[in-house]
Coordinates of all heavy atoms in Angstrom, one line a residue:
G96 N -14.4 -62.2 -3.4 CA -13.3 -61.3 -3.5 C -12.2 -61.9 -4.5 O -12.3 -63.0 -4.9
F97 N -11.3 -61.0 -4.8 CA -10.3 -61.4 -5.9 C -9.4 -62.5 -5.4 O -8.9 -62.5 -4.3 CB -9.5 -60.2 -6.2 CG -8.3 -60.5 -7.1 CD1 -8.5 -60.7 -8.5 CD2 -7.0 -60.7 -6.6 CE1 -7.4 -61.1 -9.3 CE2 -5.9 -61.0 -7.4 CZ -6.1 -61.2 -8.7
H98 N -9.2 -63.5 -6.3 CA -8.1 -64.5 -6.1 C -7.6 -64.8 -7.5 O -8.3 -64.6 -8.5 CB -8.7 -65.8 -5.5 CG -9.1 -65.7 -4.1 ND1 -8.3 -65.7 -3.0 CD2 -10.4 -65.4 -3.6 CE1 -9.0 -65.5 -1.9 NE2 -10.2 -65.3 -2.2
G99 N -6.3 -65.1 -7.6 CA -5.7 -65.4 -8.9 C -4.7 -66.5 -8.9 O -4.1 -66.8 -7.8
P111 N -0.7 -69.8 -6.9 CA -1.6 -68.7 -6.4 C -0.9 -67.4 -6.4 O 0.4 -67.3 -6.1 CB -1.9 -69.2 -5.0 CG -0.8 -70.1 -4.6 CD -0.4 -70.8 -5.8
L112 N -1.6 -66.3 -6.7 CA -1.1 -65.0 -6.6 C -1.1 -64.5 -5.2 O -2.1 -64.7 -4.5 CB -1.9 -64.0 -7.5 CG -2.0 -64.4 -9.0 CD1 -2.7 -63.3 -9.7 CD2 -0.6 -64.5 -9.6
P113 N -0.1 -63.8 -4.7 CA -0.1 -63.2 -3.4 C -1.2 -62.2 -3.3 O -1.6 -61.5 -4.3 CB 1.3 -62.5 -3.2 CG 2.1 -63.2 -4.2 CD 1.2 -63.5 -5.4
M114 N -1.8 -62.0 -2.1 CA -2.8 -61.0 -1.8 C -2.2 -59.8 -1.3 O -1.1 -59.8 -0.7 CB -3.9 -61.6 -0.9 CG -4.6 -62.8 -1.4 SD -5.6 -62.4 -2.9 CE -6.9 -61.4 -2.2
P115 N -2.9 -58.6 -1.5 CA -2.3 -57.4 -1.0 C -2.0 -57.5 0.5 O -2.9 -58.0 1.3 CB -3.4 -56.3 -1.3 CG -4.1 -56.9 -2.4 CD -4.1 -58.4 -2.2
P116 N -0.9 -57.0 1.0 CA -0.6 -57.0 2.4 C -1.6 -56.1 3.2 O -2.2 -55.2 2.7 CB 0.8 -56.5 2.5 CG 1.0 -55.7 1.3 CD 0.2 -56.3 0.2
R117 N -1.7 -56.4 4.5 CA -2.6 -55.7 5.3 C -2.3 -54.2 5.4 O -3.1 -53.3 5.6 CB -2.6 -56.3 6.8 CG -3.6 -55.7 7.7 CD -5.0 -56.2 7.5 NE -5.9 -55.6 8.4 CZ -7.2 -55.9 8.4 NH1 -7.7 -56.8 7.5 NH2 -8.1 -55.4 9.2
A118 N -1.0 -53.9 5.2 CA -0.5 -52.5 5.3 C -1.2 -51.6 4.3 O -1.3 -50.4 4.5 CB 1.0 -52.5 5.1
V119 N -1.7 -52.1 3.1 CA -2.3 -51.3 2.1 C -3.8 -51.2 2.3 O -4.5 -50.6 1.6 CB -2.0 -51.8 0.7 CG1 -0.5 -51.8 0.4 CG2 -2.6 -53.1 0.4
G120 N -4.3 -51.9 3.3 CA -5.8 -51.9 3.7 C -6.4 -53.2 3.7 O -5.9 -54.2 3.0
P121 N -7.5 -53.4 4.4 CA -8.2 -54.7 4.4 C -9.0 -55.0 3.2 O -9.4 -54.0 2.4 CB -9.1 -54.5 5.6 CG -9.4 -53.0 5.7 CD -8.2 -52.3 5.2
G122 N -9.2 -56.2 2.9 CA -10.1 -56.6 1.8 C -11.5 -56.6 2.2 O -11.9 -56.0 3.2
P123 N -12.4 -57.3 1.4 CA -12.0 -58.1 0.3 C -11.7 -57.2 -0.9 O -12.3 -56.2 -1.1 CB -13.3 -59.0 0.0 CG -14.4 -58.1 0.6 CD -13.8 -57.4 1.8
W124 N -10.8 -57.7 -1.7 CA -10.4 -56.9 -2.9 C -11.2 -57.4 -4.1 O -11.5 -58.6 -4.2 CB -8.9 -57.1 -3.2 CG -8.0 -56.5 -2.1 CD1 -7.6 -57.1 -1.0 CD2 -7.6 -55.2 -2.0 NE1 -6.9 -56.3 -0.2 CE2 -6.9 -55.0 -0.8 CE3 -7.7 -54.0 -2.8 CZ2 -6.3 -53.8 -0.4 CZ3 -7.1 -52.9 -2.4 CH2 -6.4 -52.8 -1.2
R125 N -11.4 -56.5 -5.0 CA -12.1 -56.8 -6.3 C -11.3 -56.5 -7.5 O -10.5 -55.5 -7.5 CB -13.5 -56.2 -6.4 CG -13.5 -54.7 -6.3 CD -14.9 -54.1 -6.3 NE -14.9 -52.6 -6.2 CZ -14.9 -52.0 -5.0 NH1 -14.9 -52.6 -3.9 NH2 -14.9 -50.6 -5.0
Y126 N -11.4 -57.3 -8.5 CA -10.6 -57.2 -9.7 C -11.1 -56.1 -10.6 O -12.4 -56.0 -10.8 CB -10.6 -58.5 -10.4 CG -10.1 -58.4 -11.9 CD1 -8.8 -58.3 -12.2 CD2 -11.0 -58.5 -12.9 CE1 -8.3 -58.3 -13.5 CE2 -10.6 -58.5 -14.2 CZ -9.2 -58.4 -14.5 OH -8.8 -58.3 -15.8
V139 N -2.0 -56.0 -12.2 CA -3.4 -56.1 -11.9 C -3.8 -54.9 -11.0 O -3.2 -54.6 -10.0 CB -3.8 -57.4 -11.3 CG1 -5.3 -57.5 -10.9 CG2 -3.4 -58.6 -12.2
L140 N -4.9 -54.2 -11.4 CA -5.5 -53.2 -10.6 C -6.6 -53.7 -9.8 O -7.6 -54.4 -10.3 CB -6.0 -52.1 -11.6 CG -6.8 -50.9 -10.9 CD1 -6.0 -50.2 -9.9 CD2 -7.4 -50.0 -12.0
L141 N -6.5 -53.5 -8.4 CA -7.5 -54.0 -7.5 C -8.1 -52.9 -6.7 O -7.4 -51.8 -6.5 CB -6.9 -55.0 -6.5 CG -6.2 -56.2 -7.1 CD1 -5.5 -57.1 -6.0 CD2 -7.2 -57.1 -7.8
A142 N -9.3 -53.0 -6.2 CA -9.9 -52.0 -5.3 C -10.7 -52.7 -4.2 O -11.1 -53.9 -4.3 CB -10.9 -51.2 -6.2
A143 N -10.9 -52.0 -3.1 CA -11.6 -52.5 -2.0 C -12.3 -51.3 -1.3 O -11.9 -50.2 -1.4 CB -10.6 -53.1 -0.9
R150 N -10.2 -47.8 -1.8 CA -8.8 -48.0 -1.8 C -8.4 -48.7 -3.0 O -9.1 -49.6 -3.5 CB -8.3 -48.7 -0.5 CG -8.6 -48.0 0.8 CD -8.1 -48.8 2.0 NE -8.7 -50.2 1.9 CZ -9.9 -50.6 2.3 NH1 -10.7 -49.6 2.8 NH2 -10.3 -51.8 2.2
A151 N -7.2 -48.4 -3.6 CA -6.8 -49.0 -4.8 C -5.3 -49.4 -4.7 O -4.5 -48.8 -4.0 CB -7.0 -48.1 -6.0
V152 N -4.9 -50.5 -5.4 CA -3.6 -50.9 -5.4 C -3.3 -51.6 -6.7 O -4.2 -52.2 -7.4 CB -3.3 -52.0 -4.2 CG1 -4.2 -53.2 -4.4 CG2 -1.8 -52.3 -4.2
V153 N -2.1 -51.4 -7.2 CA -1.6 -52.1 -8.5 C -0.6 -53.1 -8.1 O 0.4 -52.8 -7.4 CB -1.1 -51.1 -9.5 CG1 -0.5 -51.8 -10.7 CG2 -2.2 -50.1 -10.0
A154 N -0.8 -54.3 -8.5 CA 0.1 -55.4 -8.2 C 0.9 -55.8 -9.5 O 0.3 -55.9 -10.5 CB -0.6 -56.6 -7.6
R155 N 2.2 -56.0 -9.3 CA 3.0 -56.5 -10.4 C 3.5 -57.9 -10.0 O 4.3 -58.0 -9.0 CB 4.2 -55.6 -10.7 CG 5.2 -56.1 -11.8 CD 6.2 -55.0 -12.0 NE 7.3 -55.5 -12.9 CZ 8.4 -56.1 -12.5 NH1 8.6 -56.3 -11.2 NH2 9.3 -56.4 -13.4
F156 N 3.1 -58.9 -10.7 CA 3.4 -60.3 -10.4 C 4.5 -60.9 -11.2 O 4.6 -60.7 -12.4 CB 2.1 -61.2 -10.5 CG 1.0 -60.8 -9.7 CD1 -0.1 -60.2 -10.2 CD2 1.0 -61.0 -8.3 CE1 -1.2 -59.8 -9.4 CE2 0.0 -60.6 -7.5 CZ -1.1 -60.0 -8.0
S165 N 5.9 -63.9 -6.8 CA 6.1 -62.8 -5.9 C 5.3 -61.6 -6.5 O 4.9 -61.5 -7.6 CB 7.5 -62.5 -5.7 OG 8.1 -62.1 -6.9
A166 N 5.2 -60.5 -5.6 CA 4.5 -59.3 -6.1 C 5.1 -58.1 -5.5 O 5.6 -58.0 -4.4 CB 3.0 -59.4 -5.6
D167 N 5.1 -57.0 -6.4 CA 5.4 -55.7 -5.9 C 4.1 -54.9 -5.9 O 3.2 -55.0 -6.8 CB 6.3 -55.0 -6.9 CG 7.7 -55.7 -7.0 OD1 8.1 -56.2 -5.9 OD2 8.3 -55.7 -8.0
W168 N 3.9 -54.1 -4.8 CA 2.6 -53.4 -4.6 C 2.8 -51.9 -4.7 O 3.7 -51.3 -4.2 CB 2.0 -53.7 -3.3 CG 1.9 -55.2 -3.0 CD1 2.8 -56.0 -2.3 CD2 0.9 -56.1 -3.5 NE1 2.4 -57.3 -2.3 CE2 1.2 -57.4 -3.0 CE3 -0.3 -55.9 -4.2 CZ2 0.4 -58.5 -3.2 CZ3 -1.1 -57.0 -4.4 CH2 -0.7 -58.3 -4.0
T169 N 1.9 -51.2 -5.5 CA 1.9 -49.8 -5.5 C 0.5 -49.4 -5.0 O -0.5 -49.5 -5.6 CB 2.0 -49.2 -6.9 OG1 3.3 -49.7 -7.4 CG2 2.0 -47.7 -6.9
A170 N 0.5 -48.9 -3.7 CA -0.8 -48.4 -3.1 C -1.1 -47.0 -3.6 O -0.3 -46.1 -3.5 CB -0.6 -48.5 -1.6
L171 N -2.4 -46.8 -4.0 CA -2.8 -45.5 -4.5 C -3.7 -44.8 -3.5 O -4.2 -43.7 -3.8 CB -3.6 -45.7 -5.8 CG -2.8 -46.5 -6.9 CD1 -3.7 -46.7 -8.1 CD2 -1.6 -45.7 -7.3

Side-chain angles (χ1 to χ4, degrees):
F97 170 79
H98 294 277
L112 302 183
M114 296 298 290
R117 186 74 180 182
V119 302
W124 295 90
R125 58 184 179 272
Y126 165 75
V139 179
L140 173 61
L141 303 173
R150 296 179 308 279
V152 63
V153 173
R155 176 176 175 269
F156 297 108
S165 61
D167 294 328
W168 308 96
T169 302
L171 304 178

